[in-house]
Amino acid sequence: MKMKYLFFALLTAASAFTSCNDSAPDPTPNEPCVTCENETIVDSLFEYEAVVKKHMHDPTSTPKYILSISQKDLTSGESYTIANDSLFLPCPALSQEYQEIGLRVKITGYTKSCTNVIGDAETRPFYGRKLELIEIKKY
C-alpha cells in the first residue's frame, strides 16, 4: 500500500514540471485529449467518489463520457450540474467498461487548469475541467 502512495507522489511531482504548448481548449477529432496553453495541475484527487455522466450536444454527435464529483450528481439520474470544478472530461477517455451512465467510480488523477472543455457554442456555454486520469475503479 505504501508503494501506491509513493508512486502517486512521484507522479504528482513529475507532472508539476510539465506544460502544454497549445492555446485555449482545442479538441481535435483524432486526439482523445484537449490541451491548453501553460496547462498546469490545479489539484489532485485520490480515490475520489465520482459518477459517470454522458454529454451529447445533439442526437447525431458522438457522446462524451464525463465524470462528476458533485454530491448532487452522485444521487441524481442522467442530468448533471454544470460547473468547472466538479465536472471533468477525463484524459484518456473512459474505456467501454466505464461508459455507463450513473456508474459510481473512484478516481485518482490530476485536475488541470484547462477549463471549458465540455459543451458546444450553439446550444449552451462551455464548462468542465480536464482531468488527467491515473486510475479508475468501480465500487
Side-chain angles (χ1 to χ4, degrees):
M1 189 68 161
K2 289 182 181 181
M3 190 65 155
K4 187 175 184 180
Y5 291 108
L6 177 61
F7 178 72
F8 187 71
L10 289 172
L11 266 165
T12 301
S15 295
F17 295 105
T18 62
S19 65
C20 298
N21 297 328
D22 295 334
S23 63
D26 183 26
T28 307
N30 297 330
E31 296 178 19
C33 298
V34 296
T35 57
C36 299
E37 184 177 334
N38 300 321
E39 185 175 299
T40 59
I41 294 173
V42 173
D43 200 1
S44 59
L45 304 175
F46 182 72
E47 293 191 0
Y48 220 86
E49 289 183 37
V51 64
V52 177
K53 301 290 183 177
K54 181 168 69 171
H55 168 75
M56 289 179 62
H57 66 272
D58 69 55
T60 62
S61 67
T62 302
K64 291 181 184 179
Y65 290 89
I66 56 180
L67 297 166
S68 175
I69 61 171
S70 166
Q71 288 301 310
K72 180 180 175 185
D73 294 348
L74 286 168
T75 58
S76 71
E78 291 186 23
S79 64
Y80 48 84
T81 306
I82 295 177
N84 274 333
D85 293 322
S86 63
L87 198 61
F88 303 105
L89 180 63
C91 176
L94 296 180
S95 66
Q96 187 73 28
E97 176 184 2
Y98 294 98
Q99 293 179 6
E100 179 184 327
I101 300 168
L103 179 66
R104 293 175 67 102
V105 294
K106 290 218 176 178
I107 55 174
T108 297
Y110 305 105
T111 61
K112 298 296 198 107
S113 57
C114 193
T115 59
N116 301 322
V117 295
I118 303 169
D120 76 285
E122 293 177 17
T123 61
R124 60 179 73 155
F126 286 94
Y127 50 89
R129 184 178 296 277
K130 178 180 176 180
L131 173 70
E132 184 180 325
L133 190 60
I134 304 299
E135 181 181 41
I136 185 170
K137 56 188 170 185
K138 297 176 185 179
Y139 79 98

